Amino acid sequence: MNERRKRWTVLVLVSVVMAMGYVFWDIVSPISTSLKASLEEGGMGWSAAEYGFYAGSYSIFNIFLLMLFFGGVILDKCGIRFTGLLATGVMLLGAIINYAALTMVSPLLEIDVPFTLFGLIPGHLKTQVLVASLGFGLFGMGCDITGITVSKIITKWFIGHELASAMGLQVAMARLGTASALSFSPLIAQGFGLSASLLAGAGVLLFGFVLFVIYTFYDRHFDREQAVRRTGRIAGSAVSIDAKSETKEDSFRLRDICVILRNPGFWLLALLCVSFYSSIRPFMKFATDLMINTFGVAETTAGWLVAAIPYGTIVLTPLFGTLYDRYGHGARLLLGGSVLLLVADLLLAFPLSHSAAYALVIMLFVGIAFSLVPSAFWPSVPKLVPLAQLGTAYSIIYFVQNIGLMLVPVWIGGIVDRHTVRSNDGLSSLHVDYTIPMVVFAAISLLAVATSLTLLLSDGTKKDGLEQANMSQQ
């Protein structure tokens, strides 16, 4: 197998692994309305605040235990294979706990939570929600460390080649995972029960774990080939089976963190990451409920409408990545995507129509934005950070991103609860007014616009290379 075929085979393997993670990440989103339905209606009786806490729990371990930071250091010190197997295994464990919470813990049991994060977290929760959130938090820890690992894998294999195209294809596969969850989770839940969707998600994570095991063989062979090229001889047993095969000058050093933290361009990227993803990923957690309440569609239809976001990115993200590779203008792509997301949020906050067709068009706008920014963002990080520190750089970015991914869903959940009109018997919701939640999302998008504009202006003076084509670096 020639070198080009090997790296594209590797890309397929790790992209599917990441896609499996995104399947589980979004498996609950399209059935959130059913979760919030009363027990008499076949739901679990979760409140919007409890659902927001669950959605935000994805980031709890990453933030409060600094697991993303440690994950990046582990990646740079212990290597891709060890870190990837550990992370994909933790993802699978978290999914199993999440499934067990819905099948083995009664939704009637409740518990007081002493830590409310200044009132953002509900002080009184269902025990089921708490256990499910524990599992989702473990899954989130594994998923983000897997994401860091996959980003370093792609950089390792594609540096000097089709880097943005490769990352764009990986993102497209991830969006296919999201789209699959949004499209089919309601159908699985309707046919086999709410917990069946989570069981299906755990199954695909097991498949992803097996695929990463297969990747480790490619990675070991790659390291041995690199050692031969460096030394000019077959190193045999002297070749490390992991990242220790790197030369001394390429290895990670703790003081390199200071170099990363002193880079203002890096911090602008981190701020863009948290503002953009906080305005779109939490939005997708509530989007199906928004479709149902604002546009009057059924739950399965709502899932398909929201699925238009990731389905659109499957084609567009690799396309924009290829354009970035060949022609550059990465900072402009970041700005364009941020502006488009802001416009879409405002059009949902103050809809010009309440038809399903209008909702579909806006979802397509969001999908284009969700293609533009990631296609340029992730390939831009290696332009500012050397490969040896890339794992730690990505971990810092993911850490900052997770602050938003934890706080925004909890915040929005509380707002949704305050704007929900319930029936007299208190069993079901009649209507949720999503105007204020969408205004909040628009405000976060506005921060992304300001940050991306600053990045564009900064690149024009400091010449960080964000506007340069990637292929010219070969």
Side-chain angles (χ1 to χ4, degrees):
M1 187 183 295
N2 61 38
E3 183 178 336
R4 187 175 187 275
R5 186 176 298 176
K6 282 182 182 178
R7 66 174 180 264
W8 285 100
T9 300
V10 162
L11 177 65
V12 171
L13 283 173
V14 299
S15 295
V16 174
V17 170
M18 205 64 238
M20 298 303 95
Y22 277 84
V23 167
F24 193 85
W25 192 352
D26 289 296
I27 204 85
V28 172
S29 303
I31 57 174
S32 61
T33 302
S34 294
L35 276 175
K36 291 186 290 183
S38 66
L39 298 178
E40 291 80 1
E41 296 172 319
M44 295 293 179
W46 290 17
S47 68
E50 287 174 327
Y51 173 69
F53 172 75
Y54 168 80
S57 68
Y58 175 94
S59 305
I60 284 179
F61 294 115
N62 291 335
I63 294 175
F64 292 107
L65 298 183
L66 301 178
M67 291 310 300
L68 272 174
F69 172 76
F70 291 120
V73 174
I74 290 170
L75 175 59
D76 288 331
K77 295 293 287 184
C78 300
I80 285 170
R81 294 192 290 280
F82 174 83
T83 308
L85 290 172
L86 178 66
T88 52
V90 170
M91 270 203 297
L92 179 57
L93 174 62
I96 293 171
I97 294 174
N98 208 163
Y99 168 73
L102 263 66
T103 56
M104 301 175 65
V105 181
S106 170
L108 298 176
L109 299 176
E110 296 185 342
I111 189 172
D112 291 322
V113 180
F115 178 64
T116 63
L117 198 62
F118 306 107
L120 280 175
I121 299 174
H124 199 65
L125 284 173
K126 291 180 176 60
T127 306
Q128 183 185 69
V129 174
L130 196 61
V131 176
S133 299
L134 170 66
F136 200 48
L138 284 172
F139 162 78
M141 179 176 68
C143 189
D144 274 3
I145 295 176
T146 300
I148 296 168
T149 305
V150 167
S151 295
K152 187 166 184 177
I153 288 171
I154 295 174
T155 303
K156 176 180 179 178
W157 285 78
F158 282 87
I159 192 75
H161 299 286
E162 312 92 337
L163 181 59
S165 300
M167 287 191 169
L169 286 169
Q170 184 269 310
V171 170
M173 288 294 295
R175 302 298 175 255
L176 179 60
T178 294
S180 300
L182 294 171
S183 302
F184 298 109
S185 180
L187 299 177
I188 296 172
Q190 284 186 1
F192 305 98
L194 292 175
S195 61
S197 293
L198 291 170
L199 181 61
V204 299
L205 286 178
L206 177 60
F207 178 63
F209 179 79
V210 172
L211 287 183
F212 198 88
V213 172
I214 295 173
Y215 165 74
T216 60
F217 293 99
Y218 282 90
D219 191 74
R220 181 180 291 110
H221 184 67
F222 180 90
D223 284 348
R224 286 175 176 167
E225 284 185 338
Q226 294 302 306
V228 170
R229 290 176 183 175
R230 291 192 194 100
T231 61
R233 60 184 175 85
I234 300 177
S237 61
V239 178
S240 170
I241 63 171
D242 212 331
K244 294 176 183 177
S245 62
E246 295 175 347
T247 57
K248 183 177 180 181
E249 61 270 22
D250 289 334
S251 62
F252 173 82
R253 293 166 296 183
L254 192 60
R255 65 175 177 269
D256 291 334
I257 296 177
C258 297
V259 176
I260 298 172
L261 298 182
R262 287 198 299 265
N263 187 333
F266 169 81
W267 281 111
L268 283 174
L269 284 175
L271 181 58
L272 174 60
C273 184
V274 67
S275 55
F276 179 81
Y277 280 93
S278 293
S279 58
I280 196 166
R281 294 300 317 190
F283 162 74
M284 292 178 68
K285 295 294 183 185
F286 292 89
T288 53
D289 197 51
L290 180 146
M291 295 294 114
I292 293 168
N293 283 276
T294 303
F295 299 99
V297 299
E299 189 172 55
T300 52
T301 304
W304 282 100
L305 285 173
V306 179
I309 298 174
Y311 276 129
T313 65
I314 293 168
V315 175
L316 293 177
T317 306
L319 173 62
F320 292 139
T322 300
L323 292 175
Y324 187 20
D325 276 334
R326 295 181 179 275
Y327 305 109
H329 304 301
R332 296 173 195 270
L333 292 174
L334 296 173
L335 178 60
S338 300
V339 170
L340 190 56
L341 181 60
L342 172 61
V343 172
D345 286 341
L346 290 173
L347 289 175
L348 287 173
F350 309 102
L352 305 177
S353 169
H354 288 83
S355 67
Y358 175 88
L360 177 61
V361 171
I362 303 303
M363 293 301 99
L364 292 175
F365 284 176
V366 177
I368 296 171
F370 208 13
S371 301
L372 282 165
V373 173
S375 67
F377 180 86
W378 300 109
S380 295
V381 179
K383 292 186 175 184
L384 299 176
V385 180
L387 180 61
Q389 293 94 48
L390 195 59
T392 302
Y394 277 130
S395 73
I396 296 172
I397 289 175
Y398 271 73
F399 178 83
V400 175
Q401 179 196 65
N402 269 255
I403 296 174
L405 295 183
M406 183 189 73
L407 295 180
V408 172
V410 177
W411 185 16
I412 296 296
I415 295 174
V416 169
D417 260 350
R418 290 193 294 272
H419 290 82
T420 299
V421 180
R422 301 186 182 278
S423 61
N424 293 331
D425 58 15
L427 295 178
S428 60
S429 299
L430 286 178
H431 180 70
V432 180
D433 184 356
Y434 269 93
T435 301
I436 300 302
M438 290 312 306
V439 168
V440 172
F441 283 126
I444 302 172
S445 300
L446 181 61
L447 177 60
V449 171
T451 306
S452 55
L453 179 59
T454 305
L455 262 174
L456 177 61
L457 298 175
S458 175
D459 187 74
T461 57
K462 296 185 177 181
K463 305 299 181 184
D464 288 325
L466 302 186
E467 287 289 277
Q468 295 178 2
N470 295 312
M471 297 294 285
S472 64
Q473 298 175 12
Q474 294 189 41

